[in-house]
Amino acid sequence: MASSADVHVRICGQEIIKYDLEIKALVQDIRDCPGPQSALWELNSQVKQKFNKLRLRIQDLEQMAKEQDRESDRLAIQAETESQRRQMLSNQTAWRKANLACKLAIDNMEKDELLHGGENQSIRQRKATKESLVETNSNITESLMSISRMMAEQVKQSEDTIGTLATSSRTVLETNEEFKNMTGTIHLGRKLILKYNRRELTDKLLIFLALALFLATVLYILKKRLFPFI
């Protein structure tokens, strides 16, 4: 049965995918937009809202990765977060290209209007379009810079994780070496104990023999004194 944390991660991933698909659809709409300018503004406004929601959900997914107990789960969610960030960056680039394509289409439309009259109106529209596209490109550039900063932070976190793992590996190796040294010491101690046990047995045997010799000597002396005729 899936835990509450797993359910939240899965829901967050599904929402990220939904926003990604919605952004792709809106970018395609911008690419195909023939005008007027108000339609382009509306589409760009919707794209901005979707990117803001997508960015927040990616940040939520990153936070969930930090809260995982198992290292494997944390690394898997971090990898998914990084993948979604790259996808968001790709969508940002596609959004910018779509706006440039739309600008080209609107410029061509304005040229056609100039050829058929209405020169002043076309000039005003072209000026407004250019100002809008400048603002849009500025917003896209800001978004790209924000994503770059986020990716730099993620790279820093990955470096810190690798450093922690390296430290843990060194600690394990040092502990293993200490265990080897302890094993050698224990083995040497066991040999010494066996040696001392054998030495103790030999000492006991020598004492017994000396005591027997002493008793035999005493008995011999007593015999000679008490029973000299025997």
Side-chain angles (χ1 to χ4, degrees):
M1 183 175 180
S3 65
S4 176
D6 293 336
V7 172
H8 289 161
V9 170
R10 185 161 56 250
I11 291 175
C12 183
Q14 291 173 352
E15 290 181 357
I16 289 174
I17 292 174
K18 183 189 73 171
Y19 291 138
D20 177 73
L21 293 176
E22 290 175 350
I23 288 172
K24 282 182 170 62
L26 287 171
V27 169
Q28 184 61 43
D29 290 340
I30 291 175
R31 190 178 290 110
D32 298 336
C33 178
Q37 186 62 40
S38 59
L40 179 60
W41 287 345
E42 177 62 23
L43 289 172
N44 280 317
S45 177
Q46 294 179 30
V47 172
K48 291 177 183 178
Q49 293 177 4
K50 297 298 181 183
F51 268 120
N52 288 334
K53 293 179 180 179
L54 176 61
R55 188 177 296 107
L56 290 175
R57 296 310 287 158
I58 291 177
Q59 291 175 353
D60 291 342
L61 189 63
E62 181 180 16
Q63 181 61 34
M64 292 178 188
K66 297 178 181 178
E67 297 171 354
Q68 296 299 309
D69 294 330
R70 291 186 300 181
E71 182 72 10
S72 58
D73 292 342
R74 183 175 65 82
L75 293 177
I77 297 175
Q78 284 181 345
E80 178 63 20
T81 303
E82 184 65 22
S83 175
Q84 294 299 339
R85 279 205 179 94
R86 289 195 296 268
Q87 184 60 44
M88 183 169 65
L89 180 61
S90 176
N91 288 336
Q92 290 274 10
T93 303
W95 180 26
R96 186 172 185 175
K97 290 181 179 179
N99 271 279
L100 293 176
C102 185
K103 174 184 177 301
L104 180 60
I106 293 176
D107 285 343
N108 290 334
M109 180 183 66
E110 290 176 351
K111 289 178 182 179
D112 290 339
E113 289 178 355
L114 285 174
L115 293 175
H116 295 86
E119 180 177 355
N120 292 334
Q121 182 179 0
S122 298
I123 292 175
R124 285 194 300 270
Q125 289 180 349
R126 182 167 58 188
K127 182 178 180 181
T129 300
K130 290 181 178 180
E131 290 175 353
S132 174
L133 289 173
V134 168
E135 180 182 0
T136 300
N137 289 335
S138 177
N139 292 334
I140 293 174
T141 301
E142 182 179 354
S143 298
L144 290 173
M145 291 177 65
S146 176
I147 293 173
S148 297
R149 288 192 296 269
M150 292 171 63
M151 293 182 69
E153 292 176 359
Q154 183 62 31
V155 170
K156 180 63 169 58
Q157 291 177 359
S158 299
E159 291 176 350
D160 293 341
T161 300
I162 292 173
T164 301
L165 290 175
T167 302
S168 299
S169 297
R170 286 194 299 270
T171 302
V172 170
L173 290 175
E174 291 173 357
T175 303
N176 186 42
E177 189 64 27
E178 290 179 1
F179 282 155
K180 289 181 179 179
N181 294 334
M182 290 177 63
T183 300
T185 302
I186 292 171
H187 184 66
L188 178 60
R190 182 171 178 272
K191 286 184 176 180
L192 290 174
I193 291 172
L194 291 175
K195 180 180 179 181
Y196 289 146
N197 286 338
R198 289 194 297 269
R199 181 68 176 271
E200 182 181 4
L201 180 61
T202 303
D203 291 344
K204 287 181 178 179
L205 181 59
L206 292 174
I207 292 171
F208 176 76
L209 293 175
L211 181 60
L213 180 61
F214 174 75
L215 290 175
T217 303
V218 171
L219 290 175
Y220 178 76
I221 294 171
L222 290 175
K223 177 184 176 184
K224 288 297 183 179
R225 291 189 176 183
L226 295 178
F227 308 100
F229 51 87
I230 300 177

